[in-house]
Amino acid sequence: MIRNKTPKTKTKTKASTLITVNSSHMSSTVSTSRGLLPPARIGTCETPNAGPSGSFSQPELEFNDTDDTELLSVSWNQDYGCFAAGTSRGFRIYNCDPFKETFRRDLKSGGFKIVEMLFRCNILALVGGGANSQYPPNKVMIWDDHQSRCIGEFAFRSEVRAVKLRRDRIVVVLEHKIYVYNFMDLKLLHQIETLANPRGLCCLSHHSNAFVLACPGLQRGQVRIEHFGLNMTKLIQAHDSQISCLTLTMDGLLLATASTKGTLIRIFNTMDGSRLQEVRRGGNRAEIYSIALSPNVQWLAASSDKGTVHIFSLRVRVVGEDSYAQSNAAQGLAMLQQNSSTALDALISPNTGANPGSSLSFMRGVLPKYFSSEWSFARFHLPEDTQFISAFGSQNTVVIVGMDGSFYRCSFDPVHGGEMLQQEYVRFLKTESRPG
């Protein structure tokens, strides 16, 4: 259930402003001299000069490059051009093309299990983790790396499972609830109740005028889609089993999901909930670690505990990158009101690609409820005992990051598919790591 709520606010109008937000489930505090400023220097990942510390107890930096650093998490930024590594000593940021460590923050006070970037700007969201971390797992720090200090903090009564950022929103995921905040003033805008969500599943669109959020619903296998700009909620019964992984296109028009069974990945239209395509990872049960859609929505990549990254050819049209970004709420509703067959035709490409079993046959005017499963078009083999996340790079390449501190770049043949070719391998962190 989602509801808008206006929290109780106390404000001091002196040199510094203290904003305190309280509810029965959570509390958050932010301290800053001029309020919370919007993220700056979009497109840079530079190491900033240290600025003055605020009223929070600031982390103390240390410099080391020891082999006992533990890798706690890896995660992409919103355009997959960078990734963040949360370690037992702090965090590190890496650029993917060309591969390089952009900067690191090694702290005497411990490490972070969640490091969420905001594209390439100076703002990150951090959640403590690791055996010796002094940062509790129920607090979110909003970190300004240009000032090298915490500029905001959220405290909850239960462990934070994930944090997602947009340029205008902060989304905090707990096991049974999701909170959506305005970035500028940290005002609580929405609360969403979910089924038990220990994985912290939640994804956002990233077009400035189209805010879409996807998360587990209140029933097993259900995905809840919030089109905030349209004030519309869509519930999609995606699978029979629990949802294990999901992702949205940048515009929020398409959703890809996998269940804990891990054999099928399904692609849905988020506007009307219709299933557009179904691809098959394999016949045996598997844990899906990541799903990624290429920017042109021509390809889908999935990694799993079977030690293989699969690439699938998609046959959905790119109707979102430009057209949806230029649309408004009225146009979105008009799209919903179109004839269902016509609307579906606009999203399904007549080119079925090279996937075996990719033929699509149904009578025009009848909404197709079933698509024959399609097998992977290309694949890349990895160690089975390591968790990997994958994403698309430029020019038919895939980038892969592992919890063993490894980075791969490989290429695939867009015409013939088959085994992918390894183009680059880097061991960015030599550590005895554990799965995230």
Side-chain angles (χ1 to χ4, degrees), residues 66-72 88 403-405 427 429-435:
T66 59
D67 289 335
D68 61 348
T69 301
E70 184 182 8
L71 186 58
L72 302 180
S88 57
M403 285 297 295
D404 59 354
R427 190 68 183 269
L429 184 65
K430 296 179 175 64
T431 178
E432 291 297 325
S433 61
R434 60 175 177 79

Side-chain angles (χ1 to χ4, degrees), residues 1-5 25 176-180 189-195 213 215-219 222 224 226 228 233 235:
M1 180 179 181
I2 183 169
R3 62 182 186 273
N4 296 330
K5 182 174 181 179
H25 299 285
H176 292 276
K177 208 156 196 178
I178 294 175
Y179 295 94
V180 181
L189 301 177
H190 308 285
Q191 299 182 51
I192 303 172
E193 294 182 3
T194 69
L195 201 63
L213 180 151
C215 65
L218 289 172
Q219 299 178 12
Q222 184 184 77
R224 176 173 181 155
E226 290 293 340
F228 289 107
T233 301
L235 299 177

Side-chain angles (χ1 to χ4, degrees), residues 5 24 29-30 48 63 66 134 246 279 289 297 315 360 385:
K5 182 174 181 179
S24 60
T29 305
V30 60
F63 298 93
T66 59
Q134 295 181 22
L246 49 77
V279 298
Y289 292 140
V297 202
R315 45 181 170 70
L360 172 66
D385 58 350

Side-chain angles (χ1 to χ4, degrees), residues 174-306:
L174 308 183
E175 184 152 353
H176 292 276
K177 208 156 196 178
I178 294 175
Y179 295 94
V180 181
Y181 300 91
N182 186 43
F183 210 123
M184 292 294 289
D185 57 10
L186 299 190
K187 179 182 179 182
L188 179 61
L189 301 177
H190 308 285
Q191 299 182 51
I192 303 172
E193 294 182 3
T194 69
L195 201 63
N197 185 17
R199 300 169 185 259
L201 300 178
C202 181
C203 54
L204 314 177
S205 65
H206 293 287
H207 278 180
S208 60
N209 62 342
F211 180 19
V212 183
L213 180 151
C215 65
L218 289 172
Q219 299 178 12
R220 186 178 64 181
Q222 184 184 77
V223 177
R224 176 173 181 155
I225 305 293
E226 290 293 340
H227 289 271
F228 289 107
L230 303 177
N231 194 26
M232 179 180 76
T233 301
K234 194 71 187 177
L235 299 177
I236 299 174
Q237 192 60 43
H239 300 271
D240 294 330
S241 305
Q242 299 274 19
I243 303 297
S244 68
C245 197
L246 49 77
T247 191
L248 287 168
T249 48
M250 291 286 282
D251 55 26
L253 257 185
L254 298 178
L255 166 76
T257 66
S259 75
T260 51
K261 190 174 180 182
T263 54
L264 298 173
I265 299 171
R266 290 169 174 159
I267 297 92
F268 297 90
N269 175 359
T270 65
M271 295 296 291
D272 61 13
S274 60
R275 188 197 306 177
L276 301 175
Q277 193 172 351
E278 179 180 276
V279 298
R280 180 172 291 275
R281 182 213 54 81
N284 297 325
R285 195 179 191 93
E287 182 178 359
I288 303 294
Y289 292 140
S290 70
I291 302 173
L293 296 162
S294 65
N296 62 3
V297 202
Q298 186 177 355
W299 309 102
L300 180 149
S303 61
S304 73
D305 63 353
K306 297 301 183 182

Side-chain angles (χ1 to χ4, degrees), residues 18-37:
L18 179 66
I19 302 173
T20 303
V21 183
N22 294 312
S23 78
S24 60
H25 299 285
M26 52 72 66
S27 65
S28 65
T29 305
V30 60
S31 176
T32 175
S33 59
R34 295 183 180 177
L36 189 61
L37 299 177

Side-chain angles (χ1 to χ4, degrees), residues 145-160:
D145 205 71
H146 284 319
Q147 302 182 59
S148 290
R149 70 184 185 97
C150 175
I151 59 171
E153 185 178 85
F154 297 89
F156 299 88
R157 295 183 178 180
S158 60
E159 183 176 344
V160 175

